[in-house]
Amino acid sequence: MALFAADGERVADRGASEPPGPAAAAELRNLLSEVAAPAAVGHRIVHSGPRLTGHTVIDARVRALLADVADLAPLHVTPALRMVDAARELLPDVPHVACFDTVFHKDLPAPARTYAVPERWRAEYGLRRYGFHGLSYAWALQRTAQALGRPVDDLQVVLAHLGGGCSACAVRNGRSVDTTMGLTPLEGLVMSRRSGSLDPGALLWLQRQHGLSTDELDDTLHRHSGLLGLSGTSGDTRDLVRARAEGDDAAALALATFTLSCRRGIASMAASLDRLDALVFTGEIGEDQPEVREEICSALTVLGVQGGLHVPELEDLMREGLRRVDGAGGGVPVLVVATGETQQIAAETRRVLGTADGTR
C-alpha cells in the first residue's frame, strides 16, 4: 500500500511479505489514520479476463467480472479482491480504479496471442495469450526511452521482469508484440516458486500414470516448483548465490536452469523484433542480483549483448530509478530500471479519472 502526492512523491507506504488476508482491512485502516485522505484508490489487478481491456473504475459490474476470472491467476486476483473490498468499504466515497497487468499486452498481434488449438477452444473457452507484468513494463519502457534519449515509438527493446514471477516482453515502437506468459502467469520462464513452461504431455502423464489430481498439480506448479523446487531450499536467488559459493550443487543447478530459461525467453522475444535497441532488467531479481544479470548477458552474444556489466549500488539505483550497466565494448545497451509498478498504478489511476492536478 502506498500514498502518492500529485507530483508523484511517495508520501507513505506499507509493505508485507504475504498476500492480503483477513487483516487487510485493519492494515489499511491503520495507514489511513496516519495520512491525508486519498482522492482515489488504484488497485493492481493481474488479470483482466476477456471483457475488460482497459484500466477502469470498479463498480458492481466490474467487481463481478473480476470474480469470474480469479481462477486464471489464483495467486494474485483472489488476494487482490480482498483488498478491493476492504478499501471500497473503508473509502466508499472515492473512486476505485482497477489497473491491469494485461492491458499493456491488449494489442498483441494475432500470431503472438493465439495458441495452436482447435477453434472451439479459442472461441468458446477464450483460450489465448494475455501476458502479464504490464504495469512494470509500462514504467520500465518510459524510463528506458528517457535514458536513451529516444521516443518510445522509435524503440525496439526486450524487457525482462525478474522477481517472484518472471517474464520477458518484446516491445516494437511502443507496443507489446510478444511475451512469455500466456493465459495465466504460470507459463514462460522459470520463477521463484512457479515452474514456468512445462511439456503439457508431462502433466497428462502425471495425471494418468501417477494419479496426481488437478489440485495437487495446481499447488505444486504454483508454490513448490521453480527455484525452490530445483534447489530444495529456497526460491530466493540471493540465498542460492551464497549456497552455490559454498558448494551446494542443487543451488548451482537451480541458478543455471533459471538463467538458461531467461536467455531462452529473451532470445525468443528478440525474434519478434527487427533490431535490439536495448535489453532492460527490472523486478526484484532484475534490479538487485548482479550475478544473475551477468550470467544472462555474458551468454547472449548471439544477440549482440555482452557481459562485463557494471554493478550499480542499489541505493543509487533506487534513488535515480535507472542505470545503464553495459560496458564499453559497443554491445547492445543493457539497462536496469527500479521496479515502478506502484508509481505506474498512481499514474494510470489519474489518467482514468482525469485528475492530473494538485490533489492526492
Side-chain angles (χ1 to χ4, degrees), residues 25 38 116 120 147 151 186 195 208 229 241 287 298 320 323-324 332 354:
R120 179 185 172 190
L186 187 58
S195 64
R208 290 172 177 163
V241 166
E287 69 191 26
S298 62
E320 298 170 15
R323 276 295 178 92
R324 185 168 169 174
V332 168

Side-chain angles (χ1 to χ4, degrees), residues 196-268:
S197 292
L198 192 65
D199 177 358
L203 303 181
L204 299 174
W205 175 74
L206 289 168
Q207 288 181 310
R208 290 172 177 163
Q209 299 298 319
H210 298 281
L212 270 65
S213 68
T214 301
D215 287 344
E216 286 177 292
L217 291 173
D218 184 288
D219 183 59
T220 301
L221 295 176
H222 278 101
R223 296 177 174 84
H224 305 288
S225 298
L227 289 167
L228 176 62
L230 286 164
S231 69
T233 55
S234 177
D236 190 320
T237 55
R238 293 169 296 186
D239 296 336
L240 298 178
V241 166
R242 287 191 291 267
R244 180 178 63 180
E246 295 168 359
D248 186 326
D249 290 339
L253 176 62
L255 287 167
T257 303
F258 176 72
T259 54
L260 174 59
S261 171
C262 291
R263 294 196 302 272
R264 285 171 170 165
I266 290 166
S268 70

Side-chain angles (χ1 to χ4, degrees), residues 23-342:
E27 294 166 1
L28 178 57
R29 188 181 296 109
N30 289 340
L31 176 63
L32 292 173
S33 71
E34 301 170 7
V35 300
V41 182
H43 299 266
R44 180 195 177 204
I45 308 293
V46 165
H47 211 307
S48 64
R51 299 177 64 184
L52 298 169
T53 58
H55 310 304
T56 186
V57 172
I58 300 172
D59 56 17
R61 170 184 168 273
V62 169
R63 176 63 179 81
L65 289 173
L66 294 177
D68 289 343
V69 300
D71 285 348
L72 291 174
L75 295 185
H76 302 87
V77 175
T78 299
L81 291 181
R82 291 193 196 109
M83 204 64 181
V84 167
D85 294 341
R88 292 179 77 200
E89 182 176 344
L90 289 169
L91 296 164
D93 299 322
V94 304
H96 294 255
V97 175
C99 299
F100 298 110
D101 268 319
T102 47
V103 166
F104 187 76
H105 309 287
K106 67 183 179 66
D107 295 320
L108 280 175
R113 69 173 183 263
T114 302
Y115 288 112
V117 296
E119 194 272 342
R120 179 185 172 190
W121 288 16
R122 291 178 274 122
E124 292 188 23
Y125 306 149
L127 189 58
R128 55 155 292 183
R129 184 180 305 280
Y130 282 91
F132 303 94
H133 290 135
L135 294 163
S136 175
Y137 287 143
W139 178 263
L141 180 61
Q142 292 293 333
R143 306 288 84 71
T144 298
Q146 292 172 6
L148 298 179
R150 296 171 61 176
V152 166
D153 60 8
D154 186 43
L155 283 179
Q156 297 199 35
V157 299
V158 172
L159 309 173
H161 179 106
L162 307 181
C166 301
S167 71
C169 172
V171 174
R172 178 199 290 266
N173 303 334
R175 301 168 74 90
S176 171
V177 294
D178 204 356
T179 188
T180 56
M181 282 182 168
L183 175 73
T184 77
L186 187 58
E187 187 180 0
L189 311 184
V190 171
M191 306 178 216
S192 177
R193 294 171 178 262
R194 281 174 262 168
S195 64
S197 292
L198 192 65
D199 177 358
L203 303 181
L204 299 174
W205 175 74
L206 289 168
Q207 288 181 310
R208 290 172 177 163
Q209 299 298 319
H210 298 281
L212 270 65
S213 68
T214 301
D215 287 344
E216 286 177 292
L217 291 173
D218 184 288
D219 183 59
T220 301
L221 295 176
H222 278 101
R223 296 177 174 84
H224 305 288
S225 298
L227 289 167
L228 176 62
L230 286 164
S231 69
T233 55
S234 177
D236 190 320
T237 55
R238 293 169 296 186
D239 296 336
L240 298 178
V241 166
R242 287 191 291 267
R244 180 178 63 180
E246 295 168 359
D248 186 326
D249 290 339
L253 176 62
L255 287 167
T257 303
F258 176 72
T259 54
L260 174 59
S261 171
C262 291
R263 294 196 302 272
R264 285 171 170 165
I266 290 166
S268 70
M269 293 301 98
S272 289
L273 303 176
D274 299 321
R275 62 181 189 273
L276 185 58
D277 294 329
L279 172 60
V280 183
F281 290 96
T282 190
E284 295 92 338
I285 297 172
E287 69 191 26
D288 188 26
Q289 197 67 69
E291 296 89 348
V292 168
R293 293 195 301 263
E294 182 65 31
E295 288 168 35
I296 291 171
C297 291
S298 62
L300 277 179
T301 53
V302 68
L303 297 182
V305 177
Q306 299 179 5
L309 304 178
H310 303 302
V311 181
E313 291 292 335
L314 186 59
E315 183 178 328
D316 294 339
L317 174 64
M318 294 298 103
R319 183 179 63 254
E320 298 170 15
L322 62 86
R323 276 295 178 92
R324 185 168 169 174
V325 296
D326 51 290
V332 168
V334 178
L335 287 83
V336 179
V337 177
T339 309
E341 287 164 315
T342 52

